[in-house]
Amino acid sequence: MKSPVSSVTRPDRYRDQVGFDKNYGFMKEFRIFTLLLIVTILGYSSCKTTKEETEDQYGKIRIHFEHRVDNQSLVTDQMIYENAAGNKYLVNEIQYFISDVTLYKNGNTHLLDAWDDIHYVDTDIESTRTFAIRDEIPLGHYDKISFTFGINEVKNQSLMFVNPPESLMFWPELLGGGYHYMKLNGKWLDTLDQISPFNFHLGIGQIYYSFPDSISSYVQNYFEVELVDSGFELQIGETLDVTMVMNVENWFKSPHIYDHNEWGGDIMQKQDAMRLGCENGWNVFTIEK
Amino acid sequence: MERNCLNKNGCHFYGAAFVAAFLLVLISCSKSDPESPYKPAPYLIEIPFGFPTNLNIPSDNPMTVEGVELGRYLFYDGRLSGRTHPDSLMSCASCHRQERSFEAGIDHPDFEDGHPHGLSGQKTHHVMLPLVNLVWNHNGYGWNGFLYPGNPNDKLQNIEDFVRLAVVAKDEIDGDTSRVVNLLQSIPGYPELFRKAFGSENITFNNIERAIAQFIRTLISANSKFDKYMQGKVQLSQSELNGYVLFTTEEGADCFHCHGGFGNPLFTTNLFYNNGKDTVYTDPMDRYMVTKDPMDRGAFKATTLRNIEVQGPFMHDGRFKTIEEVIVFYSHHLKWSPEVDPLMHHVNKGGVQLLPFEKEDLLNFIRTLRDDEFLSNPAFGKPDKFPDEQ
């Protein structure tokens, strides 16, 4: 048997090379012992008498993300949209985090997946558009689904995502750190009839003593979204597929009319603009079952 | 599902089968060990502070100490051209020089203005890319990313393939793979190194590719002044700090979305953008060549800014000779076209409009990304002796 060689890719499994080499014989024995153990356990568990299958008491939920403008599927890079302020615009890409998915049953809440449920969605990366929630969810009727748009201040810690694509969402330390809640990148036709880029980026906002050098405080800006008409019935053994739609035009619509001509191409250091965006976020998402 | 045991004997049977399997494992281990001294040691990559944990190491080319050692010889050995005449030697290191972060550098003695040419004299299509932290690139190698994991063309997927392309390309080593294999096979020392690394003295071009790729994956730069600052070990000067603020703010120089920062210490996204240099696009080897998306015309990889100070000339066509010129470009000379990336949101103002002292601060910050340890680390440098000189 050839000794398998592998490179260790996780920081928690560092071993310095010399030590690893010296221990090689031990490692091999250890591996064999582990194999023995596994097979023994397997054998043992297969000997146990059948117990009531408990899995069936639960169901699962899988969320699919879709992006629409004016009720049509998003078409990128074409200047075919017009927002409530009358800006003609195109969308190039949308990248965002949702977290803390919560189910409501008889007035009680049920937080899903605790710490791990920060999910990244990217219109350019197909695999991010499905979020299979790991939790086994007790059967029955649920009244409502809610989630946090962005990441709350307890969880939003710099360097918690070191791998792309999530890591590419980092929000600069000086501006509050953590991660962008959203990058919505596109272009609009400005008052000079020029096609101008806009980066509708949401994340931690800053209040300045004197711009841009001196910051007095930060504003978290994440918000909770309660999905209208999101009650559902979970049946035995079922995986409920839910489609969550981002209706892009609503970011610019109500209660505030958001005008790119007023705010310009970048808003990460303009809390007034980010506030409008966040307050408009309440009805951006809708759900379909 | 019926998973329980039907009767006691059935279970005993499983147990017996297992013991047999266990014995087999034991026997096969003890039998092959004394016969085969081929036992390469795993080469472990330590993840530096803040760096991604996902590495791009193909499963059929695991990193080993022996593979990396062999790769280093090959990377530096001019006989990789398959020829022995002193004028016909060329290796990867003829263009990829350590002190230039494995670019050629604008001061390369053989190349005019840092634009390399191959053995045949033909110029390369683009100027150099550095070989630094490539083990974290999953999106594509080359200025337009034409080599990427998952490419339907399985000959254009990873660094291994770049080795072959560099050896045969007219504008690079201009060699012939079987000549290279035959020459190396005849050089004392190499067959033994191949056996240690891959288990056979019979040299194959595939194993040449694997060894050099392994060496390139060890070229990690993570000990610049900025890295130490990230870890709280040193303080930046006031000017460097001002530059850092400019680098990572939209109202400042606005570089971080494409070139990284604290949360992305690779200082590249390894993604492709049109950064507003031109209005017409004539280079057929841009990102559009790979994606066929018309919006990708004129787009190239946002290269890492680590060690950028010792590199150059800059941009895929080497149009800028100094970083100062690059900063002036991003400040005042951006050009609008339909293809310009939305992240270049200052484009209609011509740029980020840095004032002279801000340009200086930004440059001072960029200099903190220079990693002298990397640029002089003997493990990455030319070996003292080649295998036949030992």
Side-chain angles (χ1 to χ4, degrees):
Chain A
M1 227 175 72
K2 294 262 154 65
S3 55
V5 280
S6 65
S7 38
V8 174
T9 59
R10 295 175 60 94
D12 52 338
R13 289 174 56 207
Y14 293 156
R15 268 169 300 189
D16 78 86
Q17 235 160 278
V18 186
F20 184 76
D21 242 348
K22 263 193 308 210
N23 290 334
Y24 186 74
F26 162 75
M27 281 307 294
K28 193 164 57 187
E29 275 168 37
F30 179 72
R31 225 176 292 137
I32 292 165
F33 174 73
T34 320
L35 185 69
L36 177 66
L37 201 70
I38 290 168
V39 178
T40 314
I41 291 168
L42 273 176
Y44 174 74
S45 58
S46 69
C47 289
K48 279 199 306 194
T49 48
T50 355
K51 262 187 100 184
E52 208 48 346
E53 286 287 358
T54 46
E55 283 161 33
D56 291 348
Q57 301 303 315
Y58 297 91
K60 295 225 172 193
I61 291 189
R62 193 161 49 203
I63 302 178
H64 304 274
F65 295 87
E66 277 190 21
H67 306 86
R68 294 189 196 150
V69 187
D70 304 327
N71 296 319
Q72 304 287 315
S73 284
L74 172 69
V75 177
T76 54
D77 293 327
Q78 294 195 31
M79 191 68 82
I80 50 177
Y81 303 125
E82 185 169 327
N83 68 15
N87 306 143
K88 295 201 162 48
Y89 71 105
L90 66 80
V91 174
N92 172 252
E93 60 191 350
I94 312 173
Q95 299 149 336
Y96 57 99
F97 285 110
I98 70 153
S99 60
D100 288 342
V101 176
T102 305
L103 305 180
Y104 292 76
K105 189 179 193 174
N106 307 328
N108 294 322
T109 65
H110 181 75
L111 193 66
L112 295 179
D113 237 355
W115 265 88
D116 276 344
D117 79 334
I118 306 171
H119 183 76
Y120 173 72
V121 186
D122 190 324
T123 49
D124 286 337
I125 306 178
E126 176 71 36
S127 60
T128 63
R129 299 220 299 273
T130 304
F131 178 20
I133 293 172
R134 277 203 310 264
D135 296 51
E136 296 185 325
I137 301 159
L139 303 182
H141 179 80
Y142 289 82
D143 310 318
K144 191 170 69 185
I145 306 176
S146 77
F147 65 89
T148 298
F149 186 82
I151 310 169
N152 72 38
E153 64 266 56
V154 182
K155 296 182 178 179
N156 192 12
Q157 301 297 326
S158 296
L159 294 180
M160 70 173 161
F161 295 117
V162 290
N163 289 305
E166 288 89 344
S167 62
L168 307 184
M169 294 290 278
F170 82 90
W171 188 263
E173 293 305 286
L174 305 140
L175 303 185
Y179 294 83
H180 284 72
Y181 305 153
M182 178 167 74
K183 297 181 189 172
L184 195 175
N185 295 328
K187 296 177 183 173
W188 93 101
L189 201 61
D190 69 15
T191 46
L192 301 171
D193 257 2
Q194 289 174 319
I195 296 176
S196 274
F198 68 82
N199 298 174
F200 189 74
H201 290 192
L202 303 178
I204 296 177
Q206 319 86 39
I207 307 292
Y208 290 86
Y209 273 125
S210 72
F211 188 85
D213 305 317
S214 171
I215 294 171
S216 61
S217 61
Y218 294 100
V219 188
Q220 290 297 326
N221 280 335
Y222 66 84
F223 55 92
E224 193 182 330
V225 177
E226 298 197 350
L227 291 162
V228 177
D229 240 356
S230 56
F232 63 91
E233 189 82 33
L234 199 60
Q235 319 265 351
I236 288 192
E238 177 189 31
T239 296
L240 187 72
D241 286 293
V242 172
T243 300
M244 192 140 95
V245 182
M246 178 195 275
N247 302 281
V248 176
E249 73 280 7
N250 284 358
W251 285 114
F252 310 117
K253 198 168 181 177
S254 73
H256 311 287
I257 302 240
Y258 184 101
D259 186 342
H260 291 299
N261 289 316
E262 187 179 349
W263 300 109
D266 56 279
I267 60 170
M268 290 174 71
Q269 289 162 278
K270 296 173 186 157
Q271 172 55 20
D272 290 342
M274 285 199 286
R275 182 177 58 79
L276 300 191
C278 293
E279 289 179 5
N280 283 350
W282 67 281
N283 68 347
V284 162
F285 291 93
T286 51
I287 203 143
E288 289 168 7
K289 285 158 278 171
Chain B
M1 207 174 67
E2 192 71 36
R3 274 195 293 143
N4 57 324
C5 228
L6 290 175
N7 59 51
K8 257 178 131 199
N9 291 333
C11 285
H12 279 304
F13 173 75
Y14 285 135
F18 168 68
V19 172
F22 176 52
L23 287 176
L24 262 175
V25 172
L26 262 189
I27 293 164
S28 63
C29 285
S30 56
K31 207 182 89 187
S32 60
D33 264 4
E35 270 177 17
S36 164
Y38 167 61
K39 200 192 277 178
Y43 182 101
L44 305 177
I45 289 179
E46 203 170 304
I47 308 294
F49 181 82
F51 274 56
T53 52
N54 291 342
L55 304 178
N56 180 357
I57 299 175
S59 55
D60 59 358
N61 192 17
M63 305 276 292
T64 68
V65 174
E66 290 79 359
V68 170
E69 188 195 358
L70 171 60
R72 178 170 163 226
Y73 283 125
L74 296 170
F75 185 89
Y76 280 97
D77 196 329
R79 293 169 292 188
L80 193 65
S81 67
R83 311 171 183 96
T84 51
H85 188 280
D87 290 339
S88 65
L89 301 177
M90 191 177 231
S91 71
C92 313
S94 307
C95 295
H96 294 281
R97 298 196 296 161
Q98 180 182 19
E99 67 271 31
R100 293 279 164 255
S101 199
F102 294 96
E103 285 202 348
I106 205 138
D107 60 348
H108 194 291
D110 301 334
F111 306 142
E112 205 189 320
D113 294 331
H115 194 144
H117 57 75
L119 266 182
S120 66
Q122 188 180 325
K123 279 193 173 184
T124 54
H125 187 77
H126 296 136
V127 301
M128 301 290 300
L129 280 167
L131 304 180
V132 49
N133 298 337
L134 294 193
V135 73
W136 284 286
N137 182 349
H138 301 259
N139 294 342
Y141 298 104
W143 276 104
N144 59 7
F146 73 109
L147 256 144
Y148 58 95
N151 191 340
N153 181 344
D154 65 1
K155 291 278 170 230
L156 296 178
Q157 293 213 338
N158 219 314
I159 300 177
E160 284 78 357
D161 302 306
F162 231 114
V163 175
R164 188 187 61 256
L165 296 181
V167 166
V168 301
K170 273 268 171 297
D171 56 0
E172 295 188 21
I173 298 177
D174 193 15
D176 171 282
T177 52
S178 47
R179 251 176 95 171
V180 178
V181 168
N182 291 340
L183 178 59
L184 291 176
Q185 190 78 57
S186 74
I187 299 175
Y190 269 121
E192 170 68 5
L193 290 173
F194 275 88
R195 190 185 58 74
K196 282 190 184 154
F198 301 113
S200 166
E201 295 204 348
N202 272 333
I203 298 176
T204 62
F205 197 77
N206 189 238
N207 283 341
I208 296 174
E209 292 174 358
R210 292 166 80 202
I212 298 180
Q214 284 187 39
F215 172 66
I216 289 178
R217 294 195 176 99
T218 68
L219 303 176
I220 291 172
S221 172
N223 201 19
S224 64
K225 184 172 184 186
F226 185 75
D227 291 292
K228 292 173 199 153
Y229 167 74
M230 271 181 73
Q231 296 162 47
K233 291 179 185 159
V234 299
Q235 191 46 268
L236 299 183
S237 74
Q238 194 54 51
S239 171
E240 289 163 348
L241 274 176
N242 294 344
Y244 177 38
V245 174
L246 289 168
F247 192 87
T248 54
T249 52
E250 287 188 314
E251 308 297 328
D254 196 19
C255 316
F256 64 104
H257 281 121
C258 305
H259 289 293
F262 186 89
N264 171 16
L266 296 176
F267 283 92
T268 170
T269 56
N270 285 314
L271 293 171
F272 307 85
Y273 313 87
N274 180 320
N275 64 346
K277 295 184 298 303
D278 302 297
T279 51
V280 282
Y281 304 104
T282 50
D283 186 337
M285 290 176 72
D286 57 1
R287 185 63 180 161
Y288 171 73
M289 179 191 117
V290 179
T291 62
K292 296 287 177 245
D293 176 349
M295 290 309 289
D296 282 336
R297 288 214 171 87
F300 294 91
K301 179 157 55 198
T303 40
T304 179
L305 298 191
R306 279 186 176 272
N307 299 312
I308 194 78
E309 183 187 344
V310 303
Q311 298 172 28
F314 302 103
M315 306 297 167
H316 67 281
D317 51 7
R319 67 177 67 189
F320 301 123
K321 305 283 171 276
T322 62
I323 304 178
E324 284 88 339
E325 285 175 41
V326 174
I327 292 176
V328 168
F329 155 72
Y330 280 111
S331 274
H332 312 291
H333 301 311
L334 300 184
K335 292 187 182 141
W336 183 91
S337 71
E339 292 84 2
V340 74
D341 195 276
L343 291 168
M344 302 296 296
H345 52 79
H346 295 87
V347 64
N348 282 333
K349 289 186 288 169
V352 292
Q353 308 293 336
L354 298 184
L355 301 169
F357 72 96
E358 294 174 316
K359 289 176 187 157
E360 185 147 347
D361 289 343
L362 181 61
L363 184 61
N364 284 335
F365 166 70
I366 289 174
R367 289 193 171 124
T368 69
L369 303 176
R370 193 189 71 227
D371 177 356
D372 292 321
E373 187 189 89
F374 173 80
L375 299 171
S376 62
N377 184 344
F380 305 152
K382 188 175 179 187
D384 293 335
K385 288 177 170 176
F386 285 103
D388 53 332
E389 297 167 343
Q390 309 282 353

